[in-house]
Amino acid sequence: MSGRAKLTVFAALATLLTSWSLSPLVESQAWLLQAALLLTVQSAVGAGARRVPLARSLTVAAQLLVSLLLLALFFAGKVESTGSGPLAYFVTDFGSLFAQGVHDVGEFAIPAPLTDGIQLLLVSGVLVIGLLVDLLAVTARTAAAAGLPLLALYSVAAGLSGGGDASWFSFLLAGCGYLMLLLSEGRDRLAQWGRVFGAAPGGRAPADSGLSGNVRATAPVRFGRRIGALALGMALVVPAALPALDDGLLGGPKEGEGSGGSGGTISAVNPLVSLQSNLNAQDNRVVLRYRTDSPQQGDQYLRILALDDFNGSKWEASGRALTDVPQQMPVPPGLGEQVRLGATEVTTNITASDGYTQRYLPMPYPATSVDIPGKWRFEPVGRTLVGDQLARDRFQTVQGAEYKVRSLLLKPTAQQLQKAPAPDPAVREEYTRVPDNLPQVVGDTARQVTQGAKDDYSRAVKLQDFFAVSGGFRYDTQTTSGTGPQAVARFLADKEGFCIHFAFSMAAMSRTLGIPARVAVGFTPGEKQPDGIVNVSMRDAHAWPELYFQGVGWTRFEPTPRSGLNVPDYSRPPAPTAQPSAPAPLPSQGAVQPAPAPSASAECPPALKRLGECGPTAPQQNAAAGAGPSVTAVLGWAALVLAVVVLPLLPLLWRNRLRARRLASGEVLASWRELGDAAWDVGVAPDEALSPRRAASRVVELGRLEPDAAAAVHRVAGAVERALYAPPDAEVSYAGLTDDVRQARAGLLASAGRLPRLRALLLPRSAARIAWAVSARRSALTSAVSARLTALRLRLPLRSRG
């Protein structure tokens, strides 16, 4: 294997070893095999292009083209096509998959699931880094500079993954790959100068060296190995010692600070940052699975925490003291004896997925006891369990946990809520507080909607119906999320949003009416499977308002007009029972055609949607269902297939055309050039310094020609000598010149092996003349333009000076 071929192998190996540092970012490492395969093909294309040889720009272009075609082949059909033809796939569909990957990167926490979009980003990134490393280390012969893209790849991976137990191993692999690349380049450079360094054979010094005895000279490459090993060892050992410097400038909070005893607090964490992303997630992963004995599974909301502080810019959880998780949780605040006796205690066994890393424990409200392993803390006011700190920058999470929750299924009636006494003054003061900059339209709208209501329960039901039924609001998860006071006013004006907007607005409007309110965040009940297990996915993420009624406690309401949500029975208005006073008139006899069906875009009325009485939407008929592919699509795919077939054959077609043109001219020098190119194609490189007779002998010797083919080569060389040295009017050509060239070429191909013969036909080395011709024309054009500009400057009159 040549030195450049070894350098190509080590460049690809260094890229692949560095790309291992990306493995902690995703759950599966299946993409590494695909990246290794494509990187191998990309490097092989570069090695083949350099052997032709091609210009550097053409080499990079060939690698880039092949890589794009392979990516298109591997990721074809991963996204639903939005157009027809190859242009639509390469530009629209391929771009959509790339954009989906960018969206998934911003949506999922590390380790993220290996979606098609993320896999495309990872593989494409490795190929781009591999192309840069190959360009710098092999094509440009500057292996040291190739460390920059490798460093960029490792730095991005290490920064995103945040280190970890495997970070030292990733660094070791990346460092070893780079050192092997440098060592390979050093050996290649030394090999170009011959065996200059090293000991004499047998370990004996030469007689004229001035040394005696057994002497073994140490090669600089050994020093390079030792320096590299020492540097790599220091880089691994020194960072391992740095974490011991806990105090001073490098120090941080010691392990356990803020989490021990009852002095710890739950920080004001707002989980709504990812809620909208979960609702819009392309990959609707299951995050929780549970089995419950609740008779009303539709009311089994899994609550994470409550946001009770509306500070004028956003809703968030108040900072409150944490305690140890009690064996039996206290009675929920505000729950009276009458409602508690009518409640049913249910048991729910929940299993969290390995990809769900939330610190707050999802569980039904109100929970009475929780059985879960690990280190957890209890916040009594919000009745929330939060993961404790385990080590520096590491906390207990729900990831992969299996736990059991006992909770109360409360069944308050509308009469109990309607007759609820006034809340405790402390509760009213804390949970009816609104910011001073809350727009006046919020309170005015609340009073207008609840006009005529005589109690807090009736006002709450009217607010719920205003958002879910009668207010003309539309559910849209693409609406920009806003949590400040002005966002509530904008939402009331625009009348479109998702659960965050509905929950925030109803809670804020309830507070303006003197009703204690807060916002709960969690999951809707999920989807029950045939085996009785309920799956809760990312799109079940939800936010809803909780209003406080003395004797009942915090009570859930559902203002979001979204299909599949269960409105609590105590807040459901009585169903209309009025019958039409007269039968509907019969259609006229002229109305023979049925009325057109509602379009697919027509929405179900909010009242029926909320009650779940909307029938299935009639599927739209595809107007082009029976039509075949369009002419544009057929032409586009035909052009793509033609390009894929013709592009690899371009060198072959060019050589055949050039050969035919040279031989048809009958000129001796043109035939001699064709014979030289035929020998070059099989590996006999041209040497312009040799005479025609010496060049012919070289072709016969290196080409291993048979006697007949060798005689043909010498006859052509004799004609070339006559053309160069004979008098002007002498006859230099002969009748069998073309046949001799063809015979010599056939002999060269016959003596070559199968692979060299195939390469001589498909990828002829003499195709390098194309790059030379382009470079010569570019230089000539540059010189001509420069000469014209110089002449133009000389013609311009000189301006007066001074």
Side-chain angles (χ1 to χ4, degrees):
M1 184 183 293
S2 64
R4 177 164 284 192
K6 292 180 180 178
L7 198 59
T8 303
V9 172
F10 281 108
L13 184 60
T15 305
L16 192 60
L17 291 177
T18 307
S19 65
W20 174 262
S21 58
L22 295 170
S23 58
L25 303 182
V26 290
E27 296 177 347
S28 173
Q29 278 71 50
W31 64 274
L32 276 171
L33 181 61
Q34 190 179 69
L37 176 61
L38 297 185
L39 186 62
T40 302
V41 175
Q42 178 179 273
S43 301
V45 171
R50 284 185 289 266
R51 287 290 300 273
V52 170
L54 293 180
R56 292 181 177 181
S57 58
L58 294 179
T59 300
V60 176
Q63 290 178 283
L64 187 61
L65 177 62
V66 172
S67 299
L68 288 175
L69 291 176
L70 289 177
L71 284 174
L73 177 64
F74 274 89
F75 290 93
K78 299 294 186 180
V79 66
E80 185 177 355
S81 179
T82 57
S84 59
L87 184 62
Y89 173 74
F90 282 108
V91 176
T92 306
D93 301 343
F94 205 65
S96 299
L97 187 59
F98 191 87
Q100 178 182 329
V102 174
H103 176 268
D104 292 343
V105 167
E107 176 182 347
F108 296 115
I110 296 173
L114 188 61
T115 63
D116 294 329
I118 293 180
Q119 186 172 0
L120 174 62
L121 290 182
L122 291 174
V123 175
S124 302
V126 172
L127 289 181
V128 170
I129 297 298
L131 183 61
L132 291 176
V133 173
D134 186 85
L135 172 63
L136 293 173
V138 188
T139 304
R141 306 303 292 269
T142 55
L148 294 177
L150 293 176
L151 178 62
L153 177 61
Y154 175 78
S155 300
V156 170
L160 291 176
S161 62
D165 297 335
S167 60
W168 68 270
F169 184 68
S170 299
F171 174 77
L172 181 63
L173 288 180
C176 289
Y178 182 54
L179 290 179
M180 287 189 296
L181 179 62
L182 293 179
L183 180 62
S184 176
E185 188 204 30
R187 289 190 172 222
D188 184 46
R189 289 185 182 274
L190 291 177
Q192 295 177 8
W193 290 92
R195 189 175 180 82
V196 179
F197 304 101
R204 303 289 301 181
D208 58 350
S209 64
L211 302 174
S212 61
N214 292 332
V215 178
R216 182 173 181 84
T218 304
V221 69
R222 294 193 185 94
F223 285 114
R225 290 176 183 172
R226 295 172 183 175
I227 292 174
L230 180 61
L232 191 61
M234 291 179 62
L236 290 174
V237 173
V238 172
L242 286 179
L245 305 176
D246 289 336
D247 300 326
L249 295 177
L250 296 179
K254 293 187 174 69
E255 182 176 345
E257 281 185 356
S259 62
S262 60
T265 60
I266 179 172
S267 58
V269 177
N270 193 340
L272 301 171
V273 175
S274 60
L275 194 148
Q276 185 175 17
S277 299
N278 293 340
L279 293 174
N280 292 317
Q282 298 292 332
D283 179 23
N284 191 26
R285 289 185 300 158
V286 175
V287 295
L288 297 170
R289 290 183 173 87
Y290 68 88
R291 185 185 295 273
T292 181
D293 57 2
S294 173
Q296 298 179 3
Q297 189 264 327
D299 291 328
Q300 190 83 350
Y301 279 55
L302 299 179
R303 186 172 170 275
I304 297 177
L305 80 163
L307 310 178
D308 53 9
D309 185 11
F310 188 26
N311 58 14
S313 61
K314 57 185 177 180
W315 286 84
E316 59 184 6
S318 301
R320 300 184 185 274
L322 298 177
T323 64
D324 294 332
V325 180
Q327 191 75 22
Q328 188 72 22
M329 294 186 181
V331 178
L335 181 60
E337 187 69 17
Q338 184 178 3
V339 177
R340 189 170 64 89
L341 292 177
T344 303
E345 187 175 43
V346 299
T347 301
T348 306
N349 294 286
I350 306 175
T351 301
S353 69
D354 292 334
Y356 185 58
T357 56
Q358 174 66 253
R359 282 185 61 197
Y360 299 93
L361 190 68
M363 53 186 181
Y365 182 86
T368 57
S369 66
V370 180
D371 182 11
I372 182 172
K375 295 181 63 178
W376 296 90
R377 307 287 287 168
F378 178 60
E379 194 273 289
V381 177
R383 301 181 70 83
T384 301
L385 260 66
V386 59
D388 202 356
Q389 187 173 12
L390 300 176
R392 182 188 300 272
D393 299 328
R394 203 159 66 89
F395 296 87
Q396 178 72 55
T397 66
V398 193
Q399 183 178 18
E402 296 183 5
Y403 56 102
K404 180 169 64 174
V405 181
R406 290 185 177 86
S407 58
L408 295 177
L409 177 61
L410 301 179
K411 302 176 183 178
T413 62
Q415 291 77 13
Q416 290 173 331
L417 293 169
Q418 192 171 14
K419 297 178 180 180
D424 185 89
V427 174
R428 180 187 291 273
E429 180 182 0
E430 180 177 2
Y431 294 102
T432 58
R433 189 181 301 122
V434 293
D436 296 335
N437 58 349
L438 185 69
Q440 186 178 354
V441 65
V442 178
D444 293 343
T445 305
R447 287 185 289 272
Q448 180 181 355
V449 170
T450 60
Q451 187 177 5
K454 298 180 180 180
D455 53 78
D456 288 347
Y457 165 75
S458 302
R459 297 186 186 96
V461 172
K462 284 196 172 186
L463 286 178
Q464 176 181 267
D465 293 344
F466 169 68
F467 289 111
V469 180
S470 61
F473 288 85
R474 189 172 67 90
Y475 182 80
D476 184 8
T477 59
Q478 301 298 328
T479 304
T480 302
S481 175
T483 58
Q486 296 298 330
V488 178
R490 287 195 303 269
F491 171 65
L492 293 176
D494 298 339
K495 294 192 174 184
E496 61 179 16
F498 57 103
C499 57
I500 289 178
H501 301 88
F502 291 96
F504 284 3
S505 300
M506 182 172 174
M509 294 172 72
S510 298
R511 287 193 173 191
T512 62
L513 299 176
I515 307 175
R518 64 186 185 186
V519 176
V521 180
F523 295 96
T524 55
E527 184 177 355
K528 191 171 185 178
Q529 306 301 308
D531 58 357
I533 295 179
V534 182
N535 290 343
V536 179
S537 61
M538 295 178 62
R539 294 182 190 170
D540 292 320
H542 190 48
W544 61 91
E546 289 183 342
L547 277 57
Y548 183 87
F549 293 90
Q550 192 67 34
V552 180
W554 291 104
T555 308
R556 176 178 65 89
F557 283 82
E558 192 54 82
T560 305
R562 170 181 152 193
S563 60
L565 295 182
N566 185 24
V567 178
D569 293 336
Y570 50 77
S571 66
R572 189 187 302 271
T577 57
Q579 299 294 330
S581 57
L586 295 174
S588 62
Q589 296 179 357
V592 294
Q593 297 293 337
S599 64
S601 61
E603 295 186 355
C604 176
L608 295 180
K609 179 188 296 185
R610 184 171 64 85
L611 297 176
E613 297 179 2
C614 292
T617 306
Q620 284 186 334
Q621 293 183 354
N622 188 359
S630 62
V631 178
T632 306
V634 173
L635 293 178
W637 283 111
L640 177 62
V641 173
L642 186 63
V644 172
V645 173
V646 171
L647 281 178
L649 298 179
L650 285 180
L652 172 64
L653 298 176
W654 173 80
R655 281 293 289 123
N656 290 340
R657 181 176 177 274
L658 181 62
R659 183 182 306 111
R661 189 175 63 183
R662 285 172 172 175
L663 297 181
S665 66
E667 296 180 359
V668 175
L669 295 182
S671 300
W672 178 248
R673 282 194 295 270
E674 174 57 33
L675 179 59
D677 284 353
W680 189 8
D681 291 341
V682 296
V684 183
D687 190 349
E688 303 294 339
L690 300 178
S691 64
R693 186 173 303 179
R694 183 69 185 90
S697 300
R698 180 170 177 269
V699 169
V700 171
E701 179 183 357
L702 298 181
R704 302 186 300 276
L705 294 180
E706 299 293 333
D708 293 341
V713 172
H714 285 295
R715 285 195 296 268
V716 177
V720 174
E721 289 181 337
R722 291 192 299 271
L724 294 176
Y725 307 117
D729 296 333
E731 182 67 28
V732 296
S733 183
Y734 60 95
L737 176 64
T738 300
D739 295 335
D740 284 345
V741 173
R742 295 185 186 277
Q743 184 179 4
R745 178 176 178 271
L748 290 170
L749 292 176
S751 61
R754 180 177 300 176
L755 291 179
R757 182 164 60 249
L758 184 63
R759 175 180 175 176
L761 295 175
L762 298 179
L763 293 173
R765 292 179 173 87
S766 60
R769 296 189 184 276
I770 300 177
W772 296 350
V774 171
S775 178
R777 292 186 180 182
R778 183 174 58 189
S779 300
L781 180 61
T782 304
S783 300
V785 172
S786 178
R788 290 287 182 90
L789 293 177
T790 303
L792 182 61
R793 282 199 304 268
L794 293 176
R795 292 175 186 171
L796 293 176
L798 295 176
R799 295 184 178 181
S800 58
R801 298 176 180 175

